[in-house]
Amino acid sequence: MSYVGPGFEPSPPRRPRRRPLTVALVALVPGALLGWVVYEVVGGAGSDGGAGAVGTTASASGPVSPRSSAASSAGSGDDKPGGTPKASPTPTASAPAVSGPLKGKVIVIDPGHNAGNFQHTAEINRKVNIGTNWKECDTTGTATNSGYKEAEFTLDVAHRMRTLLQAQGATVKLTQDGDRPFGPCVDERARIGNQAGADAVVSVHADGSGAGNRGFHVILPGSVNEGAADTRSIVGPSRALGERVAGNFVRATGSAPSNYIGGGTGLDTRTDLGGLNLSTVPKVFIECGNMRDSKDAALLTSGAWRQKAAQGISDGIVSFLRG
């Protein structure tokens, strides 16, 4: 339908002689367009590093696997779509062994008791020679009024200490790692530290005294020279270790020294413990708190506080070994 109005006249009819020219133009237009597209893709666009360059690079290098593609994109946070892919990062060698101020030092951590001792009372009641006399292989340890076992506490703190000390380059051994049904006996615990040639041994415990008795104390070996026990060579270095542990424990945890043992010093010397009597390397015990006191128990059952306890004991060991 055509509109006819003032000033508008129908177009005159086309003359037959123009039809061949029209057909020729119609035939030429698609060809010209196709040629322009080919030029832009193959020649023109490739000269300015745009999308055409990426296309030709990808086709020249062959198909890219999903893994190598992901590695390229992960190589930089500023890769942009359409940019030139970056090469995959060269694989790095395995991380070297941890080095630190305690490299070459051997530390033995003795998590007191064993959670399985409750099921093996006959075995742990067996008597062993502690040098000066005979005592039970081990005991069950104590627990909070809510049932949190001393053995659970000691192993948790030992694990935290191991992580801290290994980060400083030390070789760390545990006398038990929850990997045995009961024990070991007190004489074996001492033997583990001796055979390791430990530079320091700390036995981790929590006390089971009466309510109202609060605070920590470090137990030092007294001078013993009887039977299989001879602590004379380790009394001095063990005291130095114990003093460093006590001081750093206060700083890390904020806990006060025991109000019922040690006369406020946080230090107690004993000659009746097989783990100390049979040791030939510097060794101390630490009673981190009283599980039977509700206020101390609240600390001992807190993971955050146990981390502080592990830090304090570890700092004491580091201080001792570094002089």
Side-chain angles (χ1 to χ4, degrees):
M1 177 177 172
S2 62
Y3 175 75
V4 179
F8 291 88
E9 296 293 338
S11 302
R14 290 190 179 96
R15 296 177 183 176
R17 63 185 177 82
R18 293 183 178 178
R19 185 174 302 276
L21 179 59
T22 302
V23 172
L25 288 171
V26 170
L28 287 172
V29 168
L33 288 172
L34 178 60
W36 180 82
V37 170
V38 171
Y39 169 77
E40 286 296 310
V41 172
V42 177
S47 64
D48 62 5
V54 175
T56 55
T57 302
S59 63
S61 61
V64 180
S65 69
R67 181 176 179 181
S68 62
S69 176
S72 295
S73 63
S76 171
D78 59 1
D79 286 348
K80 296 180 177 63
T84 304
K86 297 186 178 181
S88 298
T90 303
T92 57
S94 298
V98 174
S99 182
L102 297 187
K103 185 174 183 180
K105 299 294 186 181
V106 177
I107 298 167
V108 171
I109 305 171
D110 179 28
H113 312 290
N114 183 319
N117 283 359
F118 285 91
Q119 285 77 44
H120 296 273
T121 53
E123 290 88 345
I124 65 171
N125 284 331
R126 176 176 63 87
K127 297 293 182 68
V128 298
N129 189 345
I130 66 166
T132 55
N133 62 309
W134 293 74
K135 290 186 70 172
E136 290 78 9
C137 158
D138 200 1
T139 67
T140 59
T142 188
T144 65
N145 293 331
S146 62
Y148 181 55
K149 296 177 183 177
E150 179 185 0
E152 296 177 71
F153 168 82
T154 63
L155 188 57
D156 181 77
V157 172
H159 286 163
R160 295 170 189 267
M161 289 174 59
R162 178 171 61 188
T163 298
L164 292 168
L165 293 167
Q166 284 178 336
Q168 299 246 18
T171 297
V172 181
K173 300 177 183 291
L174 270 61
T175 57
Q176 60 94 7
D177 198 5
D179 52 356
R180 52 190 298 162
F182 64 92
C185 295
V186 293
D187 58 338
E188 184 182 353
R189 290 174 185 268
R191 189 161 55 248
I192 291 170
N194 297 342
Q195 291 177 345
D199 295 285
V201 183
V202 174
S203 189
V204 181
H205 289 264
D207 208 0
S209 185
N213 292 336
R214 297 196 60 194
F216 77 93
H217 64 277
V218 177
I219 304 175
L220 313 175
S223 183
V224 175
N225 181 23
E226 182 179 342
D230 186 356
T231 63
R232 291 174 296 177
S233 65
I234 68 164
V235 167
S238 294
R239 171 168 283 276
L241 171 62
E243 289 173 349
R244 301 294 180 95
V245 168
N248 282 277
F249 195 82
V250 170
R251 280 190 285 273
T253 65
S255 294
S258 169
N259 63 5
Y260 62 101
I261 290 179
T265 65
L267 302 175
D268 183 37
T269 301
R270 292 177 62 172
T271 59
D272 63 328
L273 297 177
L276 294 180
N277 286 359
L278 299 176
S279 182
T280 58
V281 294
K283 181 175 182 178
V284 299
F285 282 42
I286 180 167
E287 299 280 0
C288 296
N290 177 19
M291 288 196 134
R292 292 297 185 175
D293 177 81
S294 59
K295 292 180 179 179
D296 270 10
L299 299 176
L300 297 166
T301 55
S302 162
W305 189 88
R306 292 195 299 272
Q307 184 63 32
K308 293 178 181 178
Q311 187 72 61
I313 301 169
S314 299
D315 287 348
I317 295 172
V318 173
S319 176
F320 167 72
L321 293 179
R322 298 189 69 183

